[in-house]
Amino acid sequence: MMFPSQNCAEGLRGALRSLVRPVAVVTAAHAGRNHAMAATAFCEVSMDPPSMLVCINRLNATHLAVSEGADVCLNLLAEDQREISRRCGGGVVPEERFEVGDWVLGPGGPPRLADACASILLRPGRIVDHATHAVVIGEVVDVALRDDRRPLGFHDGAYLFPLAGAALNLVAQSALLGEAGSMTDGFLMLDVMRAFYWFDEGLQSALRARGWEAVSRSQSMAFANIALGVRRPIDLARNLGITRQGVSKMLQEMVDREWIVIEPDPTDGRASVVAFSDKSQQLRADALEILSRIDQELGERLGRKTVDALRATLGRDWGPPPEISALPSAQ
């Protein structure tokens, strides 16, 4: 369904959040210091000569290095490198960004991540300043490629986790083979994912029917985490699989809508905590009432005892996630 957007910036953010995008860390070395920033705004420009572009915020220290002639390295992250993205997206101070990951550091070039999906060395040829960012167009002068790594994906403000990615691939492959119906057998994770989406779609649909502005799935999960007592932005970022920069943007949108407030952390003067605003009381009351009615409807459809047993099972302590060993090598 198409609908007009009254705010182009908000509409663009929503459109881009719907895309699944790869994640990279852009690095540069200048004046004896190494710089790193997480990025999703990059793409190829030409194959003759090979060239790419990357967009860099002009307030970022990496921009200063590039503007003064430094080469840059575009490190395409693998699915198990979310922590590197979080650190380089603002999760830690710049001096600590290279403490995680197999970084190749040395004179004569920008830092390179040895176990990335690929590391692409760019020699900037043109820099175009536009509003808050600079578009850096560079010639590709070297590529280090790993064919045994799967890329890290980003969608709707969150990372695509490896297990979720594997599940989605299973579903896609089964659909291709005409066996999608069989995916409900034997994969509890897919059943839980499907159930979550079912609940969330029902909640969002009912909220819209009552006149509330659209709530993204990430914001819905943020509400749930805050209700469970997770109040520090860095902890929200970790639970939602979002960079600190990404969660800051999402929380600011929620502040602008007067759903939450951000206050100083009473236990740590350097940190902040998130709390529900007074104006969010009606939204939360409506959400709780809707969820209660969804539970009631589900009980009528499946039987109250069945739903109660399901809740009891999901509420039990399952212990830590199992450590599944690699399959033995074929003899």
Side-chain angles (χ1 to χ4, degrees):
M1 177 180 179
M2 298 294 292
F3 58 92
S5 174
Q6 297 183 6
N7 184 306
C8 289
E10 180 180 346
L12 178 59
R13 278 193 293 268
L16 295 178
R17 287 170 70 95
S18 69
L19 301 177
V20 177
R21 309 173 80 178
V23 184
V25 166
V26 178
T27 58
H30 178 65
R33 297 188 63 184
N34 292 318
H35 304 279
M37 54 164 276
T40 57
F42 58 89
C43 68
E44 67 280 8
V45 175
S46 170
M47 292 298 168
D48 185 19
S51 53
M52 296 191 68
L53 69 79
V54 59
C55 298
I56 301 177
N57 191 309
R58 291 196 288 156
L59 296 178
N60 193 287
T62 307
H63 174 263
L64 176 61
V66 174
S67 66
E68 296 191 1
D71 290 345
V72 297
C73 188
L74 191 66
N75 299 278
L76 305 182
L77 298 187
E79 61 184 1
D80 59 351
Q81 294 175 328
R82 297 184 302 275
E83 175 62 16
I84 296 174
S85 175
R86 185 189 71 81
R87 284 173 167 262
C88 297
V92 299
V93 296
E95 293 76 15
E96 298 177 4
R97 294 184 181 182
F98 297 99
E99 293 182 356
V100 172
D102 186 9
W103 289 100
V104 178
L105 307 173
R112 179 175 65 84
L113 189 58
D115 53 352
C117 290
S119 295
I120 305 171
L121 181 62
L122 302 176
R123 182 150 297 150
R126 186 179 181 191
I127 300 176
V128 181
D129 288 338
H130 181 76
T132 58
H133 283 63
V135 180
V136 179
I137 303 174
E139 179 183 352
V140 177
V141 296
D142 191 29
V143 178
L145 181 65
R146 293 276 299 264
D147 60 5
D148 60 341
R149 306 285 277 153
R150 293 170 54 87
L152 176 64
F154 199 71
H155 174 254
D156 194 22
Y159 297 112
L160 293 180
F161 288 90
L163 189 55
L168 292 173
N169 285 337
L170 283 171
V171 173
Q173 183 66 15
S174 294
L176 182 64
L177 298 176
E179 302 172 353
S182 67
M183 292 304 296
T184 57
D185 300 326
F187 293 96
L188 177 60
M189 177 188 167
L190 295 183
D191 292 330
V192 174
M193 287 172 61
R194 182 166 54 86
F196 167 73
Y197 291 144
W198 183 86
F199 272 99
D200 195 56
E201 290 296 335
L203 173 62
Q204 304 304 338
S205 176
L207 287 173
R208 289 193 297 270
R210 297 189 182 192
W212 290 103
E213 294 181 75
V215 180
S216 72
R217 184 153 288 159
S218 295
Q219 291 170 337
S220 179
M221 291 300 296
F223 272 123
N225 273 264
I226 297 169
L228 290 171
V230 181
R231 301 183 60 198
R232 297 186 65 180
I234 191 171
D235 295 328
L236 286 169
R238 183 181 302 109
N239 285 2
L240 300 182
I242 304 176
T243 64
R244 188 170 180 177
Q245 182 181 21
V247 85
S248 295
K249 290 181 179 179
M250 181 188 69
L251 292 177
Q252 186 56 53
E253 291 176 12
M254 297 171 74
V255 169
D256 293 342
R257 292 186 176 188
E258 300 184 310
W259 291 341
I260 62 170
V261 294
I262 299 177
E263 306 168 332
D265 187 339
T267 64
D268 184 351
R270 301 170 299 175
S272 59
V273 293
V274 179
F276 291 120
S277 69
D278 292 339
K279 291 190 176 182
S280 73
Q281 183 175 353
Q282 187 58 53
L283 171 62
R284 288 183 287 133
D286 280 359
L288 290 174
E289 192 265 334
I290 290 168
L291 288 174
S292 177
R293 291 179 60 179
I294 291 176
D295 278 358
Q296 181 179 356
E297 174 69 19
L298 189 61
E300 293 174 359
R301 294 184 186 185
L302 303 182
R304 191 70 255 168
K305 289 185 178 180
T306 299
V307 174
D308 289 344
L310 174 62
R311 293 190 64 180
T313 299
L314 294 176
R316 291 176 59 185
D317 182 4
W318 293 8
E323 296 183 6
I324 307 299
S325 60
L327 293 173
S329 301
Q331 300 296 324

